[in-house]
Structures are given as C-alpha cells and as structure tokens.
C-alpha cells in the first residue's frame, strides 16, 4: 500500500463508521494529548536515570580515590567496566524485549540497577566497586535503548519523531542535574564509620542517585505494555483496550465511544505468544533470523555502521573533555600569558612529562626549571613504591570548574535540543541528523585551532549539543524504520556497535592524544561527517517486506 493509499484509507476511517483499522489508524484516532504527555514524562525520567548512571563515575572517582585506593589506571578500569557492561547487554536486552515485552524488561532492569547502585555506595575496594559498575552498565543498558522503542510505540507517525527527539531533553537535563548535585554533595566534609567503612561525601552522592531508578520503576508499573508490541504478538484485544484508554484520556470521552472495535494485524505480525522458556527462545531465534537476513540485513548493517561511526566521533571527545579542561587550566595557571592550542599543549606534555603540567601548586611562569622538574621526576620514579611514599599524599578534592563547565555544556545542549524538537516537525530525520552531525564535525575540527579554556568550552558545548541531537534523531529513525517485532533489537544492535565504536575511540584517544593529536582530532571530525552522509542513505520506512503468506486477521 502506497503512502497516498494509506492517507485515503485513514480519511475513509475518519469519515465513516468503519469498525476495523490497523494500528496506525487506531492510534491516530485516539488523538495526542494528556495520556501521551504522561508516557513521555515517565519515559523522560527513565532517560534521566540512564544519564545519571552514565555520568556518575566522572564525579566520584577523584573523591573516592583515597577510600578505594584508586590509581589513574584503576579509574580508567572503573569507566571501562561500566562501558563494557553496557556493551555486553545491548543485544540480549533487545532480543528479550522483542520476545516478552518492553515494560517487563524496563521495570526489572531499573529496579536491579537502583539496588546495585545502592550497594555500590558501600564498596570497600576497587575490585568490588568496578564489578558493581559492570553490573550497573549491564542493567542500565536496557532502559538506555528500549525506552525509545517503548515511547515511540504509543505515538502515531505524525508525532513520533517529535516525541523521540524530546527524549534528548531529559538526557541533557540529567547531565545538568548531575553536576549540580555533585557541586552540592561532594564538597561536604563528611567522615563517619559504618561497619568499618569510612563514609565520605561521594558515598552519599552515589546513594542519592540509586533512588531515581527504583522510584521510576515503581512509577512505570502503573503504565501498560506498548500497544503496538502487543498487537505484533497477536494480542489484539489487549492492544485495543489500551488504545481505548488512550482515547478516553486524550479526549475526555468514554472509552466505549472509540469508533474502532477490530484491529487489523500487520502482515509481519507474529501470532505466537511466548508462554514458556522454549517459546521465548524460539521467538528470539526467529526475530534474530528475521533481522539478520535479507531484506532487513542491509538496513541492519547500515544503521549499525552509522551509529558506530557517530559514537566513535563523539564519545571519544565527550569522555575526555574534563581531562582536556584540566590540562588547559594547569597550563594557564603556570603560564598566564602564553596561549596554546590543544595539540600544542599535548605535544608539550609529551615532551616534558605530566609532572610540570599537572603541578597546580607551582608559581613558575616560564620554562627555566623544566630540566630540574624532569630530573626530579626521574629521581622520584626510582623510589620503591611511589604511590605510598611520603612525597605524595592522597588528595580527594575536586576542582569545582569541572562541575561548572559540565553544567554549561549541558545547558547549551539543552537549548539546541529544544530547537531540534521544533525542526523535527518540519524536517525529515535524514536531513536533521545529517545536518546536526555535519555541524558537529565542523566544531570537532575547530577544537584543533582554539587557544584557551574559554574557547574550548564554547566549541565543546556546541560540538556536544549537535552530536547529541544527531544521535537522538538517528535512534528515533531506527525505531521508525524497522518492523515492531524487531525494532527493539534493531535499536540495541545499533547501540551495541555504537558502544564498540566508543570503546575504540577512547583507546585511540589514550594512545594518540599526546603523540598524534592532529590526526586524532581530524579523524574524529571525519567520522562525524561520514555519519552525517550515511544518514542520507537510511530510508524513513523499509520499502517492501516479504508477505507472510497469511491474510490479515481481525479481533
């Protein structure tokens, strides 16, 4: 059926007393109002929980380094553990949600994540904390991807892009609230002993952010499963009942006034309901085969490649911005009159070592004592245990500029995302995604030329804002593109490859930043530009699917 034919059919349904309609027609007749706003707000809070977990470690590692005996490499391993858990969970959550439902997985994963976060606040060792962060990453990976499918399946085609783009607002809000709470809690001078564990402010900070996941899971229990998913599983009566509730909430009319009494199943819908473990495994196998074979295979490959390249270009810089800000602050503290670019600073660091650049207490303003510092560094390295020596003490303090800079980046991203919501109603996903990622590519390239902390903050804010919008818009495009029975897995597959790209970019950052900085910056910029071009190849809908051989049925 062509798009024009679909419009004619919908108009016919609207103008007659037709009792049968497909999902798109029925959800359109239900209107868009209070019910949809409630679902959007709940899913938005879920997205904020995901944002809290993703950024949690960035604000506690410095203040927790004394309690957990964290070296620099150990801090990196904590971040890697969380990212590894999120990557490992992408595909399992996708296939499970497409087999047994979005809501069940979301509630279970949010509850578990909140409990694990609560327990991790009492961690006494690095190994315990890193292990729990891995579990956090695994659990939060479910709402990190499935929420887009869940909220999108309550909306009609007309409003779905705007709703999914709006989810980016909540993600960015979480990245503003997180440093605000960190600014309030972490500087507190707390020192209590509970069961032999020293309780400082970072533990209170972690404990506070265990609550949103638990409370949101309880709130989500009040809402139903996605009606579009239920219809894809052959549960037509349940799906129709939910659509009638939506109609009543949006219009103020009685649900029995809803003009549709029969739902027509799409040709790709499955009538097999998962009742046993073997049913679930069978359904998972079927949908994996469905997604990984023609004609869906090329779209799976295209969306996965696009997400991998996008996150490769963005998350490398995103995770390193605090480090880069610290480097600039350190340099200008020592050399207030000497401007420097990112790559010049990296080359300088590579030449004279990290001791000079990271010594925030020095009062020197020139390079006359560089030789003395190098000699001092080499001498100190000959000590048996440098980290335990009397020359170093554990300092859990955190530079407050980390919080303020992060708040500014989040605020700029929020403004750009609001504009993107408006534009999403007037522009196609392809154009919006490609435009935002191309602009992000330009700002990424600009990072090579700027020469101050302030300039870096401005460029980094705009870079993050446009890259974030590009990722959110593209995720919505994936939800729209694939059939309901596999779109959760399609989103998770794209997210999996994206996280692999993020891991690769962070590895390259560590290896190349101080030796091949220019290559690194332009590589990230080129990746975002490539992702923008790939976005043009992704269609709004898959043109044609093979028929199942069964006639559409009604309930």
């Amino acid at each position: 059926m062509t798009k024009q034919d679909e419009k004619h059919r919908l108009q016919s349904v609207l103008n007659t007393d037709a009792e049968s309609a497909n999902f798109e027609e029925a959800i359109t007749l239900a209107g868009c109002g209070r019910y949809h706003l409630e679902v959007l707000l709940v899913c938005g809070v879920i997205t904020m929980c995901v944002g809290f977990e993703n950024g949690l470690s960035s604000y506690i590692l410095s203040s927790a380094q004394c309690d957990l005996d964290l070296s620099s490499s150990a801090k990196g391993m904590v971040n890697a553990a969380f990212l590894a858990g999120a990557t490992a969970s992408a595909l399992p959550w996708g296939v499970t949600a497409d087999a047994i439902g979005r809501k069940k997985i979301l509630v279970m994963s949010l509850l578990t994540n909140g409990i694990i976060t609560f327990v991790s606040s009492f961690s006494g060792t690095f190994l315990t904390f890193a292990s729990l962060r891995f579990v956090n990453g695994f659990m939060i990976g479910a709402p990190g991807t499935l929420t887009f499918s869940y909220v999108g399946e309550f909306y009609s085609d007309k409003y779905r892009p705007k709703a999914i783009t709006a989810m980016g607002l909540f993600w960015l809000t979480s990245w503003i609230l997180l440093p605000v709470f960190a600014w309030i809690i972490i500087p507190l001078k707390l020192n209590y002993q509970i069961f032999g564990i020293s309780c400082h402010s970072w533990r209170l900070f972690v404990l506070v952010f265990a609550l949103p996941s638990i409370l949101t899971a309880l709130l989500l229990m009040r809402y139903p499963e996605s009606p579009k998913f239920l219809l894809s599983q052959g549960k037509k009566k349940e799906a129709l009942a939910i659509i009638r509730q939506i109609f009543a909430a949006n219009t103020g009319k009685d649900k029995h006034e809803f003009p549709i009494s029969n739902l027509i199943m799409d040709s790709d819908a499955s009538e097999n309901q998962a009742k046993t473990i073997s049913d679930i495994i069978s359904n998972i196998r079927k949908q994996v085969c469905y997604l990984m074979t023609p004609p869906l295979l090329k779209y799976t490959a295209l969306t996965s490649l696009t997400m991998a390249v996008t996150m490769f270009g963005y998350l490398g810089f995103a995770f390193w911005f605090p480090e880069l800000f610290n480097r600039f602050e350190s340099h200008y503290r020592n050399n207030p009159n000497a401007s420097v670019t990112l790559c010049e600073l990296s080359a300088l660091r590579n030449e004279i070592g990290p001791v000079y650049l990271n010594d925030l207490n020095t009062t020197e303003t020139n390079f006359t004592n560089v030789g003395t510092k190098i000699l001092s560094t080499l001498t100190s390295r000959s000590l048996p245990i440098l980290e335990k020596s009397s020359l170093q003490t554990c300092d859990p303090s955190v530079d407050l500029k980390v919080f303020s800079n992060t708040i500014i980046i989040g605020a700029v991203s929020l403004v750009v995302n609001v504009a993107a919501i408006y534009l999403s109603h007037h522009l196609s996903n392809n154009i919006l995604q490609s435009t935002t990622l191309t602009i992000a590519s330009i700002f990424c390239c600009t990072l090579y030329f700027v020469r101050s902390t302030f300039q870096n903050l401005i460029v980094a804010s705009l870079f993050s804002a446009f890259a974030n919008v590009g990722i959110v818009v593209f995720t919505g495009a994936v939800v729209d593109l694939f059939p309901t029975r596999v779109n959760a897995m399609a989103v998770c597959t794209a997210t999996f490859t994206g996280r692999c790209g993020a891991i690769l970019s962070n590895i390259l950052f560590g290896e190349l930043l101080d030796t091949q900085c220019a290559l690194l910056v332009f590589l990230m910029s080129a990746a975002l530009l490539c992702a923008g071009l790939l976005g043009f190849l992704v269609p709004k809908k898959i043109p044609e699917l093979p028929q199942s051989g069964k006639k559409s049925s009604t309930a």
Side-chain angles (χ1 to χ4, degrees):
M1 181 179 291
T2 66
K3 188 174 183 180
Q4 193 64 30
D5 291 337
E6 186 66 24
K7 287 184 177 180
H8 286 315
R9 173 173 169 78
L10 179 56
Q11 190 64 40
S12 175
V13 172
L14 291 170
N15 294 334
T16 66
D17 294 329
E19 295 183 351
S20 298
N22 60 28
F23 175 81
E24 186 60 34
E25 294 164 348
I27 202 68
T28 300
L29 287 173
C32 185
R34 182 172 65 85
Y35 195 96
H36 289 92
L37 180 60
E38 288 183 11
V39 172
L40 181 63
L41 290 175
V42 172
C43 291
V45 175
I46 294 175
T47 302
M48 290 175 62
C49 293
V50 177
F52 292 150
E53 282 296 340
N54 274 268
L56 194 65
S57 295
S58 301
Y59 299 98
I60 65 173
L61 290 180
S62 294
S63 55
Q65 62 184 353
C66 300
D67 290 342
L68 301 181
D69 194 20
L70 298 177
S71 64
S72 295
S73 60
K75 293 176 184 178
M77 291 178 67
V78 169
N79 286 328
F82 178 84
L83 192 56
T87 303
S89 71
L91 294 181
W93 287 136
V95 295
T96 306
D98 279 329
I100 66 175
R102 287 82 162 105
K103 177 187 171 182
K104 293 178 182 177
I105 299 300
L106 287 173
V107 170
M108 182 276 295
S109 59
L110 285 168
L111 277 175
T112 306
N113 177 75
I115 294 171
I116 294 299
T117 302
F118 180 87
V119 173
S120 69
S121 67
F122 297 98
S123 298
T125 65
F126 152 71
L127 183 60
T128 301
F129 189 70
S131 299
L132 292 174
R133 288 302 292 164
F134 175 87
V135 179
N136 275 132
F138 192 93
M139 288 299 166
I140 208 64
T145 51
L146 299 179
T147 308
F148 290 95
S149 294
Y150 181 75
V151 70
E153 291 171 4
F154 279 89
Y155 282 82
S156 64
D157 284 342
K158 180 179 179 181
Y159 297 103
R160 189 176 299 119
K162 182 180 288 189
I164 293 178
T165 305
M167 296 290 286
L169 287 176
F170 295 94
W171 170 271
L172 296 173
T173 300
S174 73
W175 281 67
I176 296 175
L177 291 178
L178 196 62
V180 168
F181 276 92
W183 207 338
I184 295 172
I185 297 175
I186 290 182
L188 295 176
K189 301 300 182 182
L190 302 179
N191 188 10
Y192 299 98
Q193 292 287 327
I194 300 178
F195 301 114
I197 298 176
S198 298
C199 294
H200 297 114
S201 58
W202 72 268
R203 297 188 186 275
L204 175 62
F205 181 71
V206 175
L207 191 149
V208 166
F209 281 97
L211 299 178
S213 288
I214 297 174
L215 296 178
T216 305
L218 298 177
L219 178 62
L220 184 59
M221 291 180 181
R222 297 179 57 248
Y223 290 84
E225 179 59 83
S226 153
K228 193 173 184 180
F229 168 78
L230 292 173
L231 182 60
S232 74
Q233 295 292 297
K235 300 178 181 180
K236 295 171 285 186
K237 292 182 179 179
E238 293 92 330
L240 182 58
I242 294 171
I243 295 175
R244 284 173 172 164
Q245 291 177 10
I246 296 173
F247 168 79
N250 288 341
T251 64
K253 299 179 180 179
D254 189 275
K255 62 182 180 180
H256 297 294
E257 295 182 50
F258 188 60
I260 304 301
S261 58
N262 299 314
L263 282 180
I264 302 173
M265 293 178 61
D266 294 331
S267 60
D268 67 313
S270 170
E271 303 224 18
N272 296 321
Q273 300 182 24
K275 298 179 179 179
T276 65
I277 295 297
S278 62
D279 289 337
I280 294 175
I281 295 174
S282 176
N283 284 350
I284 290 174
R285 180 185 60 80
K286 289 178 181 178
Q287 61 164 320
V288 169
C289 293
Y290 190 51
L291 189 60
M292 299 299 178
T293 55
L296 294 186
L297 177 59
K298 64 180 179 181
Y299 300 106
T300 303
L302 178 59
T303 54
S304 297
L305 175 62
T306 303
M307 188 67 85
V309 176
T310 302
M311 290 193 177
F312 175 88
Y314 168 55
L315 290 182
F317 264 115
F319 287 167
W320 280 77
F321 275 140
E323 168 68 14
L324 300 181
F325 285 133
N326 281 334
R327 290 189 181 193
F328 272 95
E329 290 298 330
S330 176
H331 174 77
Y332 288 117
R333 187 186 296 268
N334 295 318
N335 304 275
N337 299 318
S339 63
V340 65
T341 66
L342 168 64
C343 289
E344 289 171 351
L345 185 60
S346 297
L348 181 62
R349 179 185 177 88
N350 186 52
E351 177 182 352
I352 66 176
V355 173
Y356 172 72
L357 292 174
N358 287 341
D359 185 6
L360 299 182
N361 296 319
T362 183
T363 59
E364 297 165 351
T365 59
N366 53 55
F367 297 105
T368 56
N369 291 325
V370 170
T372 303
K373 282 185 170 291
I374 294 175
L375 179 62
S376 175
T377 302
L378 293 175
T379 303
S380 66
R381 286 173 181 167
S382 65
L383 295 175
I385 306 178
L386 178 61
E387 294 183 358
K388 300 297 184 180
S389 71
S390 60
L391 297 180
Q392 291 189 353
T393 58
C394 182
D395 181 12
S397 61
V398 181
D399 189 344
L400 296 182
K401 285 190 176 181
V402 173
F403 306 138
S404 60
N405 287 345
T406 308
I407 292 172
I408 292 171
I409 290 176
V412 173
S413 298
L414 195 63
V415 172
V416 173
N417 208 90
V418 170
I421 294 174
Y422 172 78
L423 292 174
S424 67
H425 198 60
H426 301 277
L427 300 175
S428 67
N429 281 335
N430 305 67
I431 295 176
L432 190 57
Q433 179 220 355
S434 297
T435 301
T436 53
L437 291 181
T438 300
I439 295 174
S441 172
I442 294 173
F443 282 117
C444 181
C445 184
T446 306
L447 287 169
Y448 176 78
F449 300 99
V450 294
R451 306 187 65 87
S452 71
T453 303
F454 179 69
Q455 292 173 352
N456 267 281
L457 178 59
I458 294 175
V459 175
S461 298
L462 294 172
F463 163 74
S464 296
F466 284 99
N468 263 311
V469 170
I471 291 175
V472 172
V473 170
F474 183 69
T475 303
V478 176
V479 173
D480 251 355
L481 176 64
F482 287 89
T484 306
R485 62 186 291 193
V486 292
N487 73 19
M489 182 189 173
V491 172
C492 290
T493 301
T495 303
F496 171 79
T497 56
R499 288 169 181 164
C500 289
I503 292 173
L504 177 59
S505 66
N506 276 274
I507 292 174
L508 288 178
F509 236 96
E511 294 295 327
L512 300 180
L513 181 59
D514 293 335
T515 58
Q516 299 291 334
C517 176
L519 173 63
L520 182 66
V521 173
F522 292 120
L523 180 62
M524 299 294 173
S525 178
L528 289 170
L529 180 60
C530 179
L533 296 176
L534 286 172
F536 278 115
L537 302 178
V538 180
K540 180 176 176 58
K541 289 288 185 182
I542 294 176
E544 193 173 320
L545 288 174
Q547 299 300 312
S548 63
K550 296 181 180 181
K551 294 182 179 181
S552 297
S553 57
T554 60

